[in-house]
Amino acid sequence: MDQIIEYLHASTADDFLSKQEKRTLKELIADHPLDANQINVIRSKVFEIASQKANGENVQFVLDWVKSTTSALQTPLPDLDAYFSPGDTCRNAITKQISTASQNLLVCVFTISDDIITESLIAAHRRGVTIRLITDNEKSFDKGSDIAQLAREGIELRMDTSPNHMHHKFMVVDKHSVLTGSYNWTRGAARFNHENIIVTKDPGTVRAFTHEFEKLWPTMAPYDLR
């Protein structure tokens, strides 16, 4: 917030708000997602700065500046889709997100035993997408687990070897979208279970899940194929 407020002050210095300054302000706000209370604080600061800046010669500039800055604060609602099982919709949402990846996938899931999802991950790996995968060590020994197959393909895997379970089910796609929910990546989840998945491109949510993955990665043990 301090950085945004500092930029607001600076943008009034020459009584001219350029198109580049408008773009920079929008990018600054987009890169630092604000909650409702923070937006209200910034909006109040806008009118405080305008009141201090206004004089008989720059009224039009101040009005235009207030309009531009308050417009930048009106961030669009995040793009979000929801899916439910039993049925194929959750699985299809997962494979669709995997198929759209062009750079990297951060996968953090309790278990993988659905061959359709596994084949989609392998196809992404073979076309050059960098995949890092975190999973639970105990579930990797379950009958039907595809973890060893993914490791043999060369996908980098790490395991939670603590006494507790790594129970996350999320995936970050190219660091611009997140898929998460209760849905386990198993055949049973598609056939029988009442589960859910959401997919969002909300920047703050993507950053939060990326941060969680990067926090977990160094704490996990590399998967041993032996």
Side-chain angles (χ1 to χ4, degrees):
M1 279 185 59
D2 290 342
Q3 188 177 356
I4 294 172
I5 291 171
E6 182 180 347
Y7 189 83
L8 288 173
H9 279 287
S11 67
T12 65
D14 58 359
D15 285 357
F16 180 75
L17 187 65
S18 67
K19 290 183 179 179
Q20 181 58 51
E21 286 176 320
K22 292 178 184 178
R23 284 195 296 269
T24 300
L25 179 58
K26 288 184 178 181
E27 290 169 1
L28 187 60
I29 292 171
D31 290 342
H32 300 80
L34 305 171
D35 60 33
N37 289 333
Q38 290 173 318
I39 289 174
N40 286 334
V41 170
I42 296 291
R43 188 175 286 115
S44 296
K45 182 59 69 173
V46 166
F47 287 101
E48 179 184 321
I49 294 171
S51 177
Q52 295 170 350
K53 180 69 178 177
N55 58 50
E57 298 178 355
N58 66 358
V59 172
Q60 190 58 53
F61 161 74
V62 171
L63 290 174
D64 291 343
W65 180 85
V66 169
K67 181 179 179 181
S68 296
T69 52
T70 54
S71 174
L73 290 170
Q74 295 173 357
T75 54
L77 293 173
D79 179 16
L80 188 147
D81 296 303
Y83 307 89
F84 302 92
S85 70
D88 294 332
T89 55
C90 286
R91 175 201 282 150
N92 291 345
I94 294 169
T95 57
K96 178 181 178 181
Q97 288 298 306
I98 294 170
S99 69
T100 63
S102 60
Q103 298 176 12
N104 53 71
L105 292 167
L106 307 179
V107 182
C108 190
V109 290
F110 186 44
T111 184
I112 304 178
S113 63
D114 188 323
D115 294 345
I116 295 174
I117 295 175
T118 298
E119 290 167 5
S120 184
L121 286 168
I122 291 171
H125 172 68
R126 288 177 177 173
R127 70 172 184 269
V129 176
T130 300
I131 302 175
R132 287 188 288 159
L133 193 153
I134 296 173
T135 192
D136 187 78
N137 62 331
E138 291 183 18
K139 295 302 290 181
S140 69
F141 297 111
D142 284 359
K143 184 178 180 180
S145 171
D146 293 335
I147 295 302
Q149 180 185 356
L150 291 167
R152 284 193 295 270
E153 285 287 335
I155 292 173
E156 190 172 7
L157 283 137
R158 293 197 178 184
M159 317 284 290
D160 174 22
T161 57
S162 74
N164 308 307
H165 285 304
M166 200 302 298
H167 207 241
H168 281 308
K169 299 112 179 176
F170 72 82
M171 175 174 65
V172 181
V173 182
D174 289 338
K175 296 187 179 178
H176 71 64
S177 63
V178 169
L179 177 148
T180 188
S182 68
Y183 187 87
N184 279 308
W185 293 18
T186 65
R187 292 183 296 274
R191 294 177 62 191
F192 308 114
N193 296 356
H194 294 282
E195 307 276 7
N196 68 81
I197 276 176
I198 62 167
V199 179
T200 179
K201 296 180 180 179
D202 175 62
T205 304
V206 173
R207 276 196 296 273
F209 276 92
T210 302
H211 176 76
E212 178 66 14
F213 186 94
E214 297 296 356
K215 183 179 73 174
L216 289 173
W217 184 256
T219 71
M220 301 292 168
Y223 180 72
D224 189 350
L225 261 175
R226 292 176 298 176

